Amino acid sequence: MESVKYTCPNCCADLKFDPQLQKLSCEYCLSSFSVEEIKKLCAATENSIPQEAVQVKEDFENHTHLYRCDSCGAEIMADDQQTATFCYYCHNPVILAGKMGGEFKPDKVIGFKLTRENAIDDFKKWIGKRLFVPKDFKSEQQLEKLTGLYVPFWIADCHINVDYSATGKKVRHWTSGNYRYTETSTYHIVRRGNLVTRGVPADGETKIDDLLMEAIEPFDYNDLRDFSMSYLSGFFADKYDVDKTQVFPRIRERSTQACASLIKESISGYTTVTPLAQNYNISQTDWKYTMLPVWFMSYMYRGKVYEFAINGQTGKLAGTPPLSKPKLALFSGIIGAAVALAGMVIGGAFTL
């Protein structure tokens, strides 16, 4: 008899039966479900795979090459018309490592809208306002390293059971004759129900800083399309190295924060609100493995890597430029000399 294995509806890790709870529990995201709940969820998803999806998966396996950087360990994907020659993280040469497995085929993709010329223009405007960056950070050689990159993202829709209660107080003051009165009315505030947070993203690449990717959000999901190999033409893509189980804590945090904010916005008219219980339990998570477009550049300066990114759909950019200490010292010296000279001139004027 074949054994039955159930996976967590939230993070896809294996579920184990907990005798104390009499439920199936996930040791990774700490979710728990009754046997009836899991059977119902599994029955809803056990559908046959369409033939079109099988064909797309086979195309991905047959026409996607994997390149590996022996220096930093990065793994780069490209179609069979595009050749990767250097690593866009550490700029060392990469070697062809073989074909890609079908399990890494994305579900969805947003294609590039920003051209390379647009990205370079935006970078030049951004860097033009930074006076103390190293000279070669603005060079044409550095601009050549600006790479059109599809970054792997896990996008999640979380179904959340909300159980919130609080004490709300309304305080009213008035004066009558020689007396001042205060009236305090106390209310019990309750918010219970089911909420869905849609399109919560978390990048699946450890080599790109999470905060950098969050800084160029949001992406417009109206442009989401089913993945096709044609989107990779002329661009590179990252192979994810962070799976759903690992990113779920970030997804859960962002989802529960969104719920808490929505609950807070729904409560108004009180002088004070004191929460009594705030429970946000994620009962199910629907995932889409998605490639999102980013113009990406890295720069090594004095042993530290600086990263710069532009949202390839909206043009929003973010990054921390390197600081050239010699330039800053020279500028400080000039300012110091100017101040000293001004002091001498003013001092001489007074002595006259």
Side-chain angles (χ1 to χ4, degrees):
M1 181 181 294
E2 293 185 1
S3 62
V4 178
K5 184 175 72 171
Y6 293 113
T7 57
C8 176
N10 288 326
C11 71
C12 298
D14 290 344
L15 290 174
K16 296 180 179 179
F17 186 76
D18 188 325
Q20 291 184 325
L21 296 176
Q22 288 294 296
K23 288 184 176 183
L24 292 163
S25 298
C26 176
E27 62 181 345
Y28 291 95
C29 70
L30 306 181
S31 302
S32 60
F33 309 88
S34 68
V35 174
E36 289 73 21
E37 288 174 330
I38 288 298
K39 285 183 177 179
K40 185 177 179 180
L41 289 170
C42 289
T45 57
E46 287 176 354
N47 299 315
S48 59
I49 301 174
Q51 184 59 40
E52 296 81 2
V54 174
Q55 183 61 51
V56 172
K57 182 179 178 180
E58 290 178 354
D59 288 345
F60 183 82
E61 291 175 338
N62 295 331
H63 300 289
T64 308
H65 291 310
L66 176 67
Y67 296 85
R68 182 173 291 113
C69 176
D70 286 340
S71 178
C72 72
E75 293 182 308
I76 303 165
M77 298 188 299
D79 70 359
D80 48 14
Q81 303 300 315
Q82 183 86 342
T83 302
T85 58
F86 71 93
C87 173
Y88 34 76
Y89 295 115
C90 67
H91 304 156
N92 285 307
V94 294
I95 59 172
L96 182 62
K99 297 286 188 179
M100 280 302 304
E103 70 273 17
F104 290 98
K105 182 195 76 65
D107 302 312
K108 298 289 183 179
V109 64
I110 293 179
F112 276 85
K113 287 191 172 181
L114 207 68
T115 67
R116 180 179 179 81
E117 289 73 21
N118 296 148
I120 289 176
D121 288 343
D122 289 345
F123 175 79
K124 286 181 176 179
K125 291 176 185 176
W126 179 80
I127 204 62
K129 300 175 183 178
R130 276 76 181 171
L131 299 177
F132 304 116
V133 297
K135 183 178 180 181
D136 62 344
F137 188 58
K138 303 179 180 181
S139 67
E140 290 299 322
Q141 184 180 6
Q142 180 64 24
L143 288 177
E144 290 176 1
K145 296 172 183 175
L146 187 66
T147 303
L149 176 66
Y150 283 106
V151 177
F153 272 79
W154 296 105
I155 296 179
D157 297 341
C158 296
H159 303 254
I160 303 175
N161 299 323
V162 178
D163 186 359
Y164 174 94
S165 62
T167 297
K169 292 185 178 182
K170 292 183 179 180
V171 181
R172 187 167 66 96
H173 304 280
W174 73 93
T175 302
S176 179
N178 294 326
Y179 296 94
R180 180 168 176 79
Y181 298 89
T182 298
E183 178 189 75
T184 301
S185 301
T186 302
Y187 300 85
H188 185 48
I189 303 169
V190 176
R191 297 289 187 271
R192 291 194 181 99
N194 300 315
L195 292 175
V196 180
T197 56
R198 299 192 183 278
V200 182
D203 69 274
E205 170 56 70
T206 57
K207 293 192 176 300
I208 300 180
D209 184 69
D210 294 338
L211 294 179
L212 180 66
M213 291 296 97
E214 290 181 12
I216 63 172
E217 293 177 10
F219 289 85
D220 184 356
Y221 293 153
N222 290 321
D223 289 334
L224 273 176
R225 299 291 183 268
D226 290 337
F227 178 78
S228 167
M229 285 297 299
S230 61
Y231 287 98
L232 280 183
S233 181
F235 298 96
F236 297 104
D238 261 344
K239 171 178 169 287
Y240 75 78
D241 59 0
V242 182
D243 61 21
K244 286 179 278 192
T245 303
Q246 293 170 286
V247 303
F248 183 72
R250 289 169 55 199
I251 294 290
R252 177 173 53 197
E253 181 180 2
R254 299 185 76 175
S255 296
T256 53
Q257 284 178 350
C259 280
S261 178
L262 185 62
I263 295 298
K264 185 177 180 180
E265 290 174 5
S266 74
I267 300 171
S268 61
Y270 299 96
T271 307
T272 62
V273 175
T274 304
L276 301 175
Q278 301 183 73
N279 296 313
Y280 305 101
N281 180 45
I282 299 179
S283 60
Q284 181 182 345
T285 305
D286 303 321
W287 297 90
K288 292 185 181 71
Y289 172 39
T290 305
M291 289 293 185
L292 298 181
V294 176
W295 286 101
F296 181 83
M297 179 193 292
S298 64
Y299 177 75
M300 178 73 75
Y301 183 67
R302 295 195 172 188
K304 182 179 178 180
V305 176
Y306 294 84
E307 296 178 343
F308 173 83
I310 306 176
N311 185 315
Q313 179 196 35
T314 67
K316 187 177 180 180
L317 53 84
T320 303
L323 180 66
S324 173
K325 292 183 179 179
K327 276 191 175 183
L328 182 61
L330 178 61
F331 180 79
S332 299
I334 293 173
I335 293 297
V339 170
L341 181 61
M344 292 173 61
V345 171
I346 293 172
F350 279 117
T351 56
L352 293 174

